[in-house]
């Protein structure tokens, strides 16, 4: 096993151990803000262009009022069945990223960050024919809570709302 793979495996083990032992205060859905899919890295525009070419879409964490910031997130963002294009790759702005957007990903930021946090870029090759297709962030398949999870800067696991982008080839969605 390569040292890089060993380190990633160790970090995943430690993260999962942290989730199972972290104090779970009563955190309502959305207490940690929102993780959504946008056409910009600031989380301002959720209209996703479907060009018949490579498309970069950005997963961004925006925090709730009073939320102290975050050091990690855990979610999935599989392409929706209504999208005629295909997933090519994820571009990870953080060095400790375990998994992929399509099957479940855990991302360690390396320090406490405040939002907006550009968490991950998803590269697709579009079909140029999307009919107003909703693309949502979902819980990681291994999340015991069944929710999108966030490690906040106070050492708690909190839950975030799942944001969505709307994929369309000609910007005429209602």
């Amino acid at each position: 096993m390569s040292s890089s793979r060993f380190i990633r495996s160790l970090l995943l083990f430690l993260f999962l151990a942290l989730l199972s032992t972290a104090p779970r205060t009563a955190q309502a859905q959305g207490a940690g803000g929102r993780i959504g899919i946008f056409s910009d890295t600031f989380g301002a525009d959720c209209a996703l262009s479907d060009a018949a070419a490579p498309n970069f879409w950005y997963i961004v964490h925006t925090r709730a009022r009073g939320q102290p910031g975050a050091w990690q997130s855990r979610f999935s963002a599989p392409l929706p069945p209504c999208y005629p294009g295909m997933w090519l790759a994820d571009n990870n702005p953080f060095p400790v990223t375990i998994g992929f957007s399509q099957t479940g990903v855990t991302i360690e930021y390396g320090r406490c960050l405040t939002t907006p946090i550009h968490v991950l870029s998803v590269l697709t090759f579009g079909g140029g024919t999307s009919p107003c297709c909703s693309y949502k962030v979902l819980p990681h398949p291994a999340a015991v809570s069944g929710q999108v999870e966030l490690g906040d800067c106070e050492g708690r696991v909190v839950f975030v709302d799942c944001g969505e982008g709307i994929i369309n080839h000609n910007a005429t969605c209602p």
Side-chain angles (χ1 to χ4, degrees), residues 11 60 79 82 92 162 170 173:
L11 287 171
V60 179
L79 289 177
C82 57
N92 310 316
C162 303
N170 63 10
C173 292

Side-chain angles (χ1 to χ4, degrees), residues 13-93:
F13 172 78
L14 292 173
F15 172 75
L16 294 174
L18 174 68
L19 281 181
S20 65
T21 61
R24 292 195 183 253
T25 57
Q27 296 293 324
Q29 177 72 19
R34 179 179 141 189
I35 293 181
I37 303 172
F38 300 90
S39 61
D40 66 298
T41 60
F42 299 106
D45 188 359
C46 61
L48 308 174
S49 173
D50 175 30
N55 297 294
F56 266 106
W57 299 325
Y58 306 97
I59 298 177
V60 179
H61 171 226
T62 56
R63 71 181 165 152
R65 172 177 238 113
Q67 201 267 337
W71 59 270
Q72 66 84 24
S73 57
R74 189 173 191 214
F75 60 90
S76 67
L79 289 177
C82 57
Y83 178 59
M86 60 191 258
W87 175 82
L88 297 176
D90 291 333
N91 183 5
N92 310 316

Side-chain angles (χ1 to χ4, degrees), residues 104-154:
V105 63
T106 300
I107 301 171
E108 167 71 42
Y109 307 156
R111 60 190 163 93
C112 180
L113 297 176
T114 57
T115 65
I117 303 167
H118 168 213
V119 177
L120 188 70
S121 298
V122 177
L123 174 61
T124 68
F125 191 86
T129 59
S130 292
C132 296
C133 182
S134 175
Y135 185 11
K136 297 180 181 181
V137 171
L138 302 172
H140 191 290
V144 175
S145 68
Q147 299 184 60
V148 174
E149 298 174 337
L150 178 81
D152 77 4
C153 295
E154 294 177 354

